[in-house]
Amino acid sequence: MESEPLVTAKNSRMMNYTSEDGSSILSPGVEHDNLTSSGNDKTTDTEKFNYTTLERFHEDALQQVGHGKMQVIIFFVCGFVMAADLAEILALIMSSKSAQFEFCVDDSQRSWLVGATLLGMGVGSMFWGSLGDRVGRRRSLIYCLGVGSIFSGASVTMPTEGTFLTARIFSGFGVGGCMPLVVTYFSEFIQEKRQRVAIAVLFLFWPLGAAYVIMISWFILPSTGFHLSEELKEHFSAWRRLLVAALAPSLMSLIALIFLPEGPLNLMQNGRDAESLGVYKRIHKRNRGSEATFCLSEIEIPSIYTGPPSAPRSVLGDLIRALETLWTSFQTLWTENRRRLTIKLSLIWLLATMGHGAMSSWVISHQASLRDWTFDKDAKMYEKQSLNHSTISLDLVNVRYHDSSFEDFSFSNMIMNHVKFENCTFQRVNFTNVKASYVIFKYSDLSECFFVDTNLGRSNFIESTVQNITYAGLNPECHLIPDFSMYLGNDVMDAGLPVLGIFIGSLISVALIGFCNRSKLIALFLILASFICIGLTIWTYDPVWALVGHAIINVLIAGMWSMLVTIIDKYPFWTRSGALGLSLSAGRIGSFFGVALFGTTMSGIIVPVFSSIFLVLAACIALRSTF
C-alpha cells in the first residue's frame, strides 16, 4: 500500500514538509540564502518563503517517485549534451590544421578558428543560462542545441575564413548554453542529498565527447601531411566531414530531449502546476510501475503564482519574452547577499581557464617545435657536392646541401620534404613535377632554371640570387604547404593524453566531493597545476614531460571544474541556471584570451610562468571563499 500524502494543504502558511519518519526532507547542512532578505533583492520575503516551500514540496515529491528508470534515461540524455560541449571544441582543434591550409592563414590566425567558438560560447552561456530560468531548462536546451547544430552544419560549407568564423561564433553561442542548462535540468530530477555526486558523475560524459572526436579523427582525417596536401584538392575535404560527424552528440540529445519532460520545479515556478503534477506522475509510473498510485494532487502544490504562466509559444515569442526579462534575471545574481559569491566564482573561472588555455596552446606548439628540432637534428648532410648532367627521381627527405653545385641537372617526379640548399649554385637545372614541403634555398644562386608543375615558388628563396627563372604550369593559390612528414598519430597523442587526464580528474572529484572542503580542494588543484607549469619551464626540451605535464594539469583543472559545477546549491533554484551560466561565461572568455590572444602573442618560458600566476591568483580567491 502506498504511503499517505506527505504534504499539507496548499494555502497553509505553516507548511512543514517532512518524511514519513518525521524528519526534514531537506539536508540540514545545506544553506539556503534565498531565506535571507536584502534591500537590493527584488524578491519579497513572502515570495522567498513560497519558493522555499515549493522546494520542500519538490523534495517530498521526488522522495515518493523515487530514483529509477526515468532518472537513468535523463542521465544518459544529459550526458550526450555534456559530450556535445567538448566535442564541439576538440573537433575544431583537430581540424584547424587542415582548415589553416585550405583558408591559407598563418599560425596566429589559425588560433582564431578555435577562439571564435570560445567567444561565442562565452556569450551564449550567460544568455541561455538566464533564459533557462525564465522559460524552462528543457525548452532552452532544445533552442540552444538547435541553434548550435544549425550554424555548426552551416560552417562546414563556408568557403572563406571570414564566413567560417562568423558561423562558428553563432554555433558557439548555441552550444555555450549546454552545460549550465543541462546541469540545472538534471538536478531537478535528483534529490538534494544526491545532487552533488550525481552531477559530478554526469561530468564524466564531458571527456567522453572528446574521446569520440579523437576516434573518428583517426578514420576521417588524412594520416600524413602529404595525404593532407592531396586531400585538400577535394571539394568537400576531410576536416569538413569531421565537423559534420562531431555533430552526432548534439543531434542525438536534441532528438531525445523532445520526448523528455520539463523540470517540474521550473514548471511550478511559472504557475504550471497541472503540468508539473503530470511530470511527477510520469516519473512515478516509469520508476514504480503502472499499478503504483501517486498520492500527491494539484491542490497540495504550494501556490507561488506571481504572473501569467509561461504557456507554450513560438520560438520567436519565447525569445522576445526572454529578452524583456533577461536583465531582471541577471540582476538577481548581483543582489547584496549574492554579489560577493558571484564575483569570486567569476574571477576563479576567468583566471583559471585563462591560465589553462594559454598553457594548452603553449604545450601544443611546444610539442611541434620539439618534434621539428628532433627531426632536423637527424638530417643527412651533404657538403661540397658537384652534381652535373644527371637526374634524380628519388624522394629527398630531411636532407641538407651545403656549398654544392648543380649544373645541367634535373629533379623530376619526386617529393622534397625538409630539404635545405645553403650557399649552393644552380645552373640550367629543371624542377619537373616536384612536390615540395619545407624546401629552402638560402644564400644560393639560381640561373636559367625551369620550374614545371611544381609548388616551388619565390617564397622558397631566402637571400638568394635568381636570374632567368621560368615557371610553367599552375602556381599554387596558397604559399602555405603542409609538412609532408606531419603524422596524425602525433596529433592524436597530443589530444588523447590530456583528454584522459580530464576523465581521471573527473573521477577524482567524484571520489572526493562528498568528503572534502570544496574551497580548499579547488585551491589545492590550482596550486598543484601552477607547480606543474613551473616545472615545464625547467625541463623545456623534454617532449615526454611536456605532454605528461599537460595531462596532469588537465587532471587538476578537470577536478576543479567538476567541483565548481556543484555550486548550484548556493543559489536559489530560480537563479541557478543563470548563476552557472555566468560562471561558465567567465570561463569561456578566459579560455578565449588564453588560447586566441595570450597563447599566440608570447613564446618561450614566458607563457608557463604567466599561466602559473593566473592559477595561483585563482587559488587565492578560492581559499578565501566558502562553497
Side-chain angles (χ1 to χ4, degrees):
M1 179 180 294
E2 291 292 330
S3 61
E4 293 299 322
L6 302 176
V7 296
T8 56
K10 175 178 179 180
N11 296 322
S12 173
R13 287 295 302 267
M14 300 302 294
M15 292 179 184
N16 182 25
Y17 296 102
T18 58
S19 62
E20 295 179 352
D21 61 0
S23 61
S24 174
I25 295 298
L26 294 183
S27 174
V30 176
E31 297 181 16
H32 291 274
D33 66 343
N34 53 327
L35 291 173
T36 61
S37 61
S38 168
N40 295 332
D41 196 340
K42 295 185 178 182
T43 308
T44 65
D45 290 339
T46 301
E47 289 173 338
K48 289 176 181 178
F49 178 85
N50 289 337
Y51 278 131
T52 305
T53 304
L54 195 62
E55 284 185 286
R56 294 182 178 180
F57 173 87
H58 177 64
E59 284 296 309
D60 280 349
L62 286 180
Q63 178 175 297
Q64 186 173 156
V65 301
H67 291 90
K69 296 179 181 178
M70 194 65 179
Q71 278 82 2
V72 172
I73 294 172
I74 294 174
F75 171 76
F76 280 101
V77 173
C78 292
F80 278 111
V81 179
M82 293 286 286
D85 183 275
L86 190 55
E88 186 81 6
I89 293 295
L90 192 62
L92 273 175
I93 294 175
M94 297 296 290
S95 61
S96 62
K97 190 174 294 184
S98 300
Q100 175 186 10
F101 294 108
E102 183 166 328
F103 292 138
C104 196
V105 297
D106 56 26
D107 289 337
S108 61
Q109 292 174 299
R110 171 189 166 188
S111 64
W112 282 89
L113 299 176
V114 179
T117 300
L118 290 173
L119 183 61
M121 293 177 80
V123 178
S125 295
M126 192 179 341
F127 174 83
W128 294 111
S130 299
L131 181 67
D133 287 330
R134 296 296 172 177
V135 303
R137 277 79 180 208
R138 170 186 161 274
R139 192 186 306 177
S140 299
L141 261 176
I142 292 176
Y143 293 165
C144 77
L145 285 170
V147 170
S149 299
I150 289 172
F151 282 99
S152 292
S155 68
V156 302
T157 64
M158 296 302 170
T160 63
E161 180 199 11
T163 55
F164 179 80
L165 290 179
T166 302
R168 295 313 305 185
I169 289 175
F170 283 101
S171 68
F173 174 78
V175 177
C178 288
M179 191 175 290
L181 289 171
V182 78
V183 169
T184 49
Y185 174 71
F186 176 67
S187 66
E188 286 196 30
F189 297 91
I190 307 297
Q191 291 183 21
E192 189 169 357
K193 62 184 178 181
R194 303 182 182 181
Q195 281 182 4
R196 294 180 184 177
V197 175
I199 293 173
V201 174
L202 179 68
F203 196 82
L204 294 173
F205 278 89
W206 200 56
L208 290 181
Y212 163 73
V213 171
I214 292 174
M215 181 184 66
I216 62 175
S217 297
W218 186 268
F219 295 100
I220 295 178
L221 292 180
S223 58
T224 65
F226 176 75
H227 292 146
L228 171 61
S229 64
E230 295 296 307
E231 196 272 337
L232 287 174
K233 299 175 183 178
E234 296 185 13
H235 177 68
F236 199 75
S237 50
W239 69 271
R240 296 179 184 271
R241 297 195 294 272
L242 174 62
L243 293 180
V244 173
L247 279 173
S250 296
L251 295 176
M252 291 174 62
S253 54
L254 176 61
I255 295 172
L257 280 168
I258 297 174
F259 301 97
L260 291 183
E262 180 62 83
L265 192 56
N266 187 268
L267 290 172
M268 290 187 290
Q269 172 195 346
N270 291 308
R272 297 160 62 181
D273 296 350
E275 293 180 57
S276 65
L277 188 64
V279 173
Y280 288 127
K281 291 180 178 179
R282 179 178 173 183
I283 300 173
H284 185 268
K285 181 179 179 180
R286 172 72 67 172
N287 291 345
R288 301 189 182 275
S290 58
E291 297 181 359
T293 303
F294 183 68
C295 297
L296 302 180
S297 62
E298 185 177 351
I299 196 173
E300 295 169 310
I301 299 178
S303 177
I304 61 166
Y305 181 75
T306 58
S310 56
R313 299 183 175 191
S314 64
V315 174
L316 181 61
D318 282 333
L319 289 177
I320 293 176
R321 181 175 178 272
L323 290 174
E324 292 174 349
T325 58
L326 197 60
W327 178 245
T328 302
S329 177
F330 182 75
Q331 282 183 312
T332 60
L333 305 177
W334 300 95
T335 55
E336 184 176 344
N337 57 326
R338 304 188 193 111
R339 187 183 303 123
R340 291 172 62 88
L341 178 62
T342 300
I343 292 175
K344 288 179 180 179
L345 288 172
S346 299
L347 285 176
I348 291 173
W349 280 84
L350 179 68
L351 293 172
T353 53
M354 188 182 298
H356 178 251
M359 196 67 213
S360 298
S361 298
W362 181 82
V363 168
I364 292 173
S365 61
H366 186 59
Q367 286 290 106
S369 299
L370 288 174
R371 290 194 188 101
D372 291 341
W373 178 77
T374 303
F375 185 77
D376 293 340
K377 187 177 66 172
D378 298 330
K380 297 178 181 179
M381 308 296 296
Y382 296 97
E383 295 188 6
K384 297 181 180 180
Q385 299 286 314
S386 181
L387 302 175
N388 304 317
H389 308 287
S390 60
T391 301
I392 290 182
S393 296
L394 299 176
D395 295 341
L396 293 179
V397 180
N398 205 19
V399 177
R400 307 289 182 270
Y401 286 95
H402 290 274
D403 301 316
S404 300
S405 64
F406 300 83
E407 185 175 355
D408 294 321
F409 194 83
S410 294
F411 295 93
S412 177
N413 300 317
M414 62 184 302
I415 294 175
M416 286 188 180
N417 182 30
H418 283 265
V419 178
K420 185 177 181 180
F421 300 97
E422 187 170 359
N423 199 26
C424 296
T425 302
F426 297 83
Q427 291 185 344
R428 295 180 298 280
V429 177
N430 295 333
F431 295 85
T432 305
N433 193 24
V434 175
K435 297 178 180 179
S437 169
Y438 288 77
V439 177
I440 296 176
F441 299 85
K442 191 173 184 179
Y443 309 132
S444 299
D445 296 323
L446 293 89
S447 62
E448 300 182 29
C449 295
F450 291 85
F451 292 85
V452 182
D453 293 330
T454 178
N455 57 357
L456 290 170
R458 298 190 183 278
S459 61
N460 300 96
F461 305 136
I462 301 176
E463 300 184 30
S464 297
T465 302
V466 179
Q467 296 178 345
N468 299 326
I469 298 297
T470 302
Y471 291 96
L474 296 176
N475 292 325
E477 297 180 359
C478 178
H479 66 282
L480 297 178
I481 304 298
D483 185 355
F484 290 168
S485 62
M486 181 178 63
Y487 179 55
L488 177 62
N490 294 330
D491 294 336
V492 172
M493 179 63 70
D494 290 347
L497 196 57
V499 168
L500 178 61
I502 294 175
F503 186 80
I504 295 174
S506 301
L507 283 176
I508 292 174
S509 68
V510 173
L512 298 179
I513 198 168
F515 307 100
C516 302
N517 180 286
R518 283 173 291 165
S519 300
K520 294 181 179 179
L521 198 57
I522 290 169
L524 177 63
F525 284 154
L526 294 175
I527 291 174
L528 290 176
S530 67
F531 283 145
I532 300 297
C533 293
I534 295 173
L536 289 176
T537 66
I538 300 174
W539 295 284
T540 54
Y541 295 103
D542 189 338
V544 176
W545 164 238
L547 190 57
V548 173
H550 186 214
I552 296 174
I553 290 175
N554 277 273
V555 170
L556 300 170
I557 295 299
M560 178 216 73
W561 195 289
S562 301
M563 292 293 177
L564 283 178
V565 169
T566 63
I567 58 92
I568 63 170
D569 64 333
K570 301 298 292 185
Y571 288 87
F573 73 89
W574 69 90
T575 63
R576 286 172 182 169
S577 183
L580 193 54
L582 179 62
S583 297
L584 284 166
S585 177
R588 304 299 191 185
I589 293 174
S591 296
F592 165 75
F593 282 109
V595 172
L597 298 179
F598 187 84
T600 56
T601 55
M602 297 186 179
S603 59
I605 64 174
I606 298 178
V607 175
V609 171
F610 273 87
S611 295
S612 64
I613 292 174
F614 290 140
L615 294 172
V616 168
L617 289 175
C620 292
I621 298 174
L623 282 175
R624 296 180 57 87
S625 305
T626 303
F627 301 136

